[in-house]
Amino acid sequence: MNFKEQIAQGIPTEIPVKRAYPANANKAPKRKDILSIEEKQLAIRNALRYFPENWHEELASEFAEELKEFGRIYMYRFKPDYKIHARSISEYPAKTSQAAALMLMIQNNLDPAVAQHPEELITYGGNGAVFQNWAQYLLVMHYLSIMTDEQTLHLYSGHPMGLFPSSKNAPRVIVSNGMMIPNYSQPDDWEKFNALGVTQYGQMTAGSFMYIGPQGIVHGTTITVMNAFRKILSKGETPAGKIFLTAGLGGMSGAQPKAGNIAGCITIAAEVNSKAATKRHEQGWVDVLIDNMDELLSRVRQAQATNEVVSIAYIGNIVEIWERFDVENIHIHVGSDQTSLHIPWTGGYYPIDISYEESNRLIREEPAIFKNKVQETLRRHAAAINNHTAKGTYFFDYGNAFLLEASRAGADVMADNKIDFRYASYVQDILGPMCFDYGFGPFRWVCASGKPEDLDATDNIAAAVLQEIMENSPEEIQLQMQDNITWIKDAKKNKMVVGSQARILYADAEGRTKIAEAFNNAIAAGKIGPVVLGRDHHDVSGTDSPYRETSNIYDGSKFTADMAIHNVIGDSFRGATWVSIHNGGGVGWGEVMNGGFGMLLDGTKEAEARLKSMLFYDVNNGIARRSWARNDEAIFAIKREMERSPTLKVTLPNLVKDELLNDLF
Ligand SMILES: NC(=O)c1ccc[n+]([C@@H]2O[C@H](COP(=O)([O-])OP(=O)(O)OC[C@H]3O[C@@H](n4cnc5c(N)ncnc54)[C@H](O)[C@@H]3O)[C@@H](O)[C@H]2O)c1
């Protein structure tokens, strides 16, 4: 059977033979054994409903074994033999190119070069699932191969409920992941219902088929580091010769040195795990590897003296650097931290003065002692940072729960009001007011032909469009425009394509729409093949997350999720090819509602109408909400949009004077 026939077949007619687990695969962590005996029986019954009864006896014991061994039923036996990666859109068997685009994006998210645990259908973040099991994958590909442009496929946490009649203007696929009744949305609930096979954690772009590898995180981190420097530099000053100190060279944190190099500063990233540091060095993501403090001091002084742009990995504990640089009076201009403090007791954060190996032993054998050591280190960590900030260092929390865990450890990190932290997070101080409130966010596209020359052409188109927009853009957004033009011009040089021919580019509503329109025109003129548009969920409108994306909302509404829900519904009837809405993503289940979309541009007039309608809403929904929350930048942006678009009428807030409130209660 060839590739197209295998895709079209779905669940095979003959039971496939049992497969051995591939020797070199990066296996997903074993999940909690959380089900009772009755619940385990229910999980097996649930899994077997995908298959004919005469296979049940053979599969039941195998699935029970998987559940016992891994805490989940992945149905490894049903993983297809063909290579899974983003092929050209023309290679997929489909009646509509929209369905073929979805197959391409799904296969990209499961490509072993892209996905973290491909055998378990996990794209990133340890638990960001595309599907719960291989039966769901097979069935989805089958449905996509037969669907017409008058049908919609509904996915419940990876499970294809079926194809339903709809219309040409409807999305081809509706995705929901991890949606729960709120009172049943605690972490252990997720473990339980995922093990039962009735829900999954889709992270952000894993379960919505829009992941594009490390490029996304590099761009976001670059924007953050550049703007962090802008907060402290005077006009005309550059980051050259100035220090950005941080920790972590892991999954996301590994992007920091590359971003620092693009921003043009001296980056020092501490990493306790020498393997992680060496890997990043070998990959070319960090320039210099140092494991000795004296050497670090002299290398940093040398870089400062020559205004060198360089990134240094220090193999050791971050606290050593904060403390020693204080003693040596080395000024740190910008400081942050990306250790994994969202999981402090299981290896996310390593204590000082204990070896990496000994720490790992303590985690397993003496967890209470380990916890004490972590908290002691956090107190020292915060104290050293406080010494530096007293001397002028700008420190921000990078959404990794550093300030939260430091406060729980009794460190001196609270503001005078004893409610807030004394330092802001990267969204409160940087991404929120400087990007999201103006509508700038992580727009992205994939060239569905799979041709690198198409990606080059789209880069050039996007750069030209931004250049033109910048000529007439107001002072308030000139810097953002310039950063994005610089990024897109250097994008190819930064060599970050892994998997599909994809590009990320921060842009606002005007930029996204005009770039997409120019792509559609180029497709119509036969200059490039079809293009899939999308974005990260970590954006202006898609995500309600009180301690991250919406942490700079101060009217009390940051604990509501109306914006994300309106976004997914609003996008769905304005022309998205697919939409998704997830409970959980980045900060954990129950902590965030987030959604995204995909849209195929095929060069038609219909595609032009769709992109104009949907991209406009997809960004301005969030600006409207941010403006209602009284954020100045968003009020500016939405008023400007209303001037440009007479049919947009947004409710604006009336501001209240402080004096009026002071004596009321
Ligand atoms: N990059 C972003 O845009 C972004 C956004 C939001 C949140 N985050 C958060 O950043 C954190 C890091 O993410 P990740 O994917 O890189 O995790 P990761 O676990 O892969 O990497 C963290 C690294 O920190 C190292 N480390 C731990 N304690 C240390 C110490 N005391 N000194 C020096 N190194 C130490 C670990 O060895 C590990 O390699 C997470 O909490 C994530 O949620 C990142």
Side-chain angles (χ1 to χ4, degrees), residues 217 220-221 247-254 270-273 276 316-319 337-343 347-352 356 377 381 398-401 426 538 548 586:
I217 205 73
T221 313
L249 288 171
M252 287 199 274
S253 49
E271 171 55 67
V272 282
N273 178 352
N317 199 294
I318 179 63
V319 183
D337 192 89
Q338 271 199 45
T339 54
S340 280
L341 273 159
H342 65 279
I343 42 163
Y349 182 86
Y350 282 82
I352 192 167
Y356 185 65
T377 305
H381 195 160
Y398 215 136
N400 64 336
Y426 73 121
H538 179 60
R548 228 170 74 172

Side-chain angles (χ1 to χ4, degrees), residues 177-383:
N177 279 305
M179 298 310 292
M180 298 299 297
I181 304 298
N183 281 354
Y184 303 88
S185 182
Q186 299 305 313
D188 268 355
D189 294 326
W190 164 57
E191 290 289 350
K192 177 170 143 181
F193 293 110
N194 200 174
L196 281 176
V198 295
T199 195
Q200 71 176 3
Y201 191 81
Q203 281 281 11
M204 290 195 157
T205 51
S208 64
F209 324 136
M210 201 40 81
Y211 186 71
I212 57 165
Q215 186 178 170
I217 205 73
V218 173
H219 189 29
T221 313
T222 305
I223 300 262
T224 306
V225 176
M226 273 182 176
N227 285 308
F229 272 105
R230 287 200 182 115
K231 290 187 75 73
I232 54 153
L233 297 180
S234 30
K235 219 177 157 91
E237 222 184 338
T238 71
K242 301 191 171 60
I243 295 177
F244 165 43
L245 174 62
T246 186
L249 288 171
M252 287 199 274
S253 49
Q256 295 178 107
K258 210 171 175 83
N261 280 4
I262 300 173
C265 60
I266 301 167
T267 306
I268 308 165
E271 171 55 67
V272 282
N273 178 352
S274 63
K275 277 199 189 129
T278 310
K279 183 173 155 201
R280 289 301 182 194
H281 185 241
E282 282 167 3
Q283 288 171 336
W285 285 54
V286 61
D287 305 324
V288 181
L289 207 55
I290 291 179
D291 62 0
N292 159 319
M293 182 57 77
D294 290 333
E295 202 186 317
L296 177 68
L297 289 168
S298 74
R299 187 64 184 84
V300 167
R301 290 194 172 111
Q302 178 198 336
Q304 281 184 309
T306 54
N307 274 357
E308 183 185 357
V309 175
V310 65
S311 51
I312 304 169
Y314 173 71
I315 303 177
N317 199 294
I318 179 63
V319 183
E320 294 167 31
I321 308 185
W322 282 107
E323 289 183 345
R324 187 67 187 271
F325 278 30
D326 184 24
V327 174
E328 302 281 337
N329 249 324
I330 294 183
H331 182 64
I332 296 160
H333 298 78
V334 172
S336 193
D337 192 89
Q338 271 199 45
T339 54
S340 280
L341 273 159
H342 65 279
I343 42 163
W345 322 126
T346 52
Y349 182 86
Y350 282 82
I352 192 167
D353 298 336
I354 305 178
S355 72
Y356 185 65
E357 292 69 29
E358 173 63 2
S359 292
N360 287 337
R361 188 193 68 76
L362 288 177
I363 292 172
R364 278 193 314 275
E365 295 170 17
E366 296 178 85
I369 294 183
F370 184 76
K371 184 173 173 180
N372 267 336
K373 298 276 177 203
V374 163
Q375 294 201 317
E376 211 176 288
T377 305
L378 277 169
R379 289 192 290 272
R380 269 174 73 174
H381 195 160

Side-chain angles (χ1 to χ4, degrees), residues 365-440:
E365 295 170 17
E366 296 178 85
I369 294 183
F370 184 76
K371 184 173 173 180
N372 267 336
K373 298 276 177 203
V374 163
Q375 294 201 317
E376 211 176 288
T377 305
L378 277 169
R379 289 192 290 272
R380 269 174 73 174
H381 195 160
I385 290 171
N386 292 344
N387 289 348
H388 282 273
T389 57
K391 292 190 266 187
T393 297
Y394 169 61
F395 181 86
F396 64 94
D397 184 285
Y398 215 136
N400 64 336
F402 171 73
L403 291 174
L404 180 71
E405 283 308 331
S407 70
R408 286 176 179 161
D412 179 13
V413 291
M414 299 313 287
D416 291 342
N417 68 8
K418 307 266 179 264
I419 299 167
D420 300 320
F421 295 126
R422 61 194 283 177
Y423 306 113
S425 79
Y426 73 121
V427 174
Q428 281 179 298
D429 247 16
I430 302 170
L431 277 189
M434 291 171 148
C435 296
F436 293 166
D437 288 355
Y438 286 120
F440 288 91

